[in-house]
């Protein structure tokens, strides 16, 4: 189990990172609306919880379309870095600009023990907030006032953040930038 949030700057080669950025920030990228970008079930407490995602890998394996091929090298490099034996889920997320600070739902990504990563694709505001508390419960809803904030990470292009999959966290929508794009992935590891 990871006990701290690990940050690796300049994770991918500059040319490959630029290709990912150009692909994910392109009008040709097929993004899919998710009414709540952080939580599996729609939390109707705010209309600002929406975002867009693009799933590349899940319980059914790799998605079979052209966008997967550009993502695979990043996934394999992350998997090698975290000591993963297989991906559990890989998706790109994009949240849009908000007129005031908006924190999305506090959550964990996956109910099984895993290593979770965030690879920031673009420079943006809209911090990722990590809390001291951990859980395996993906259903419970949390209030920030009931938790102890541990760390904030501001999105910086080509920066990888690695943390324990049971670490409660959330993201914020950007206020200064038009969007915040990242690759969120979870990996099964042998301990």
């Amino acid at each position: 189990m990871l006990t701290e949030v690990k940050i690796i700057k300049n994770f991918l080669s500059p040319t490959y990172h630029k290709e990912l950025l150009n692909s994910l920030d392109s009008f040709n990228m097929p993004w899919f609306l998710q009414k709540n970008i952080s939580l599996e079930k729609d939390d109707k407490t705010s209309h600002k919880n929406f975002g867009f995602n693009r799933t590349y890998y899940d319980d059914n394996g790799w998605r079979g379309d052209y966008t997967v091929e550009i993502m695979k090298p990043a996934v394999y490099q992350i998997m090698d870095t975290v000591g993963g034996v297989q991906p559990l889920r890989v998706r790109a997320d994009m949240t849009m600009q908000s007129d005031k600070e908006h924190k999305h739902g506090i959550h964990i990504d996956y109910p099984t023990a895993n290593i979770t990563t965030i690879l920031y694709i673009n420079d943006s505001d809209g911090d990722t907030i990590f809390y001291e508390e951990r859980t395996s419960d993906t259903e419970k809803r949390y209030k920030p006032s009931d938790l102890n904030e541990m760390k904030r990470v501001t999105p910086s292009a080509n920066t990888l953040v690695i943390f324990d999959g049971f670490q409660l966290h959330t993201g914020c929508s950007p206020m200064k930038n038009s969007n915040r794009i990242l690759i969120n992935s979870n990996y099964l590891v042998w301990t």
Side-chain angles (χ1 to χ4, degrees):
M1 173 177 80
L2 285 174
T3 57
E4 63 183 0
V5 175
K6 184 176 179 182
I7 299 171
I8 302 173
K9 293 181 182 270
N10 301 311
F11 181 70
L12 301 172
S13 73
T15 304
Y16 177 49
H17 171 260
K18 183 178 178 185
E19 186 65 24
L20 276 177
L21 174 61
N22 290 341
S23 175
L24 291 170
D25 202 21
S26 164
F27 67 89
N28 290 322
M29 178 53 67
W31 287 100
F32 297 92
L33 175 66
Q34 188 170 340
K35 289 184 180 179
N36 192 315
I37 199 76
S38 294
L39 305 173
E40 297 264 334
K41 294 184 178 177
D42 187 20
D43 178 3
K44 300 186 187 320
T45 57
S46 174
H47 68 281
K48 293 184 178 187
N49 286 328
F50 82 97
F52 298 89
N53 78 31
R54 183 83 185 105
T55 300
Y56 293 97
Y57 188 97
D58 61 14
D59 295 338
N60 298 313
W62 288 104
R63 297 290 173 97
D65 67 39
Y66 74 96
T67 66
V68 169
E69 294 309 313
I70 192 170
M71 191 62 57
K72 281 184 177 179
V75 171
Y76 294 140
Q77 185 173 342
I78 294 168
M79 193 163 62
D80 287 346
T81 299
V82 302
V85 294
Q86 80 175 56
L88 295 169
R89 185 179 72 174
V90 178
R91 67 182 198 163
D93 284 342
M94 178 173 56
T95 52
M96 307 306 291
Q97 186 179 48
S98 180
D99 57 348
K100 59 183 178 180
E101 183 179 55
H102 177 73
K103 293 178 186 174
H104 292 269
I106 299 168
H107 65 283
I108 61 168
D109 296 347
Y110 214 82
T112 303
N114 72 91
I115 297 296
T116 300
T117 67
I118 296 170
L119 176 60
Y120 295 113
I121 299 301
N122 64 336
D123 289 320
S124 182
D125 59 318
D127 289 355
T128 302
I129 304 169
F130 296 92
Y131 298 91
E132 292 177 6
E133 293 78 9
R134 296 168 191 266
T135 186
S136 61
D137 187 349
T138 58
E139 299 294 321
K140 186 174 179 183
R141 301 298 171 248
Y142 300 90
K143 294 179 185 175
S145 59
D146 295 338
L147 301 172
N148 298 301
E149 189 174 310
M150 181 178 79
K151 185 178 194 77
R152 283 181 176 246
V153 179
T154 300
S156 177
N158 201 15
T159 297
L160 181 70
V161 180
I162 305 167
F163 55 101
D164 180 73
F166 292 151
Q167 184 85 52
L168 285 169
H169 63 283
T170 191
C172 299
S173 293
M175 293 185 297
K176 298 174 187 169
N177 299 88
S178 62
N179 61 22
R180 172 183 182 259
I181 302 172
L182 57 87
I183 298 169
N184 170 226
S185 50
N186 309 88
Y187 300 90
L188 180 63
V189 294
W190 301 122
T191 55

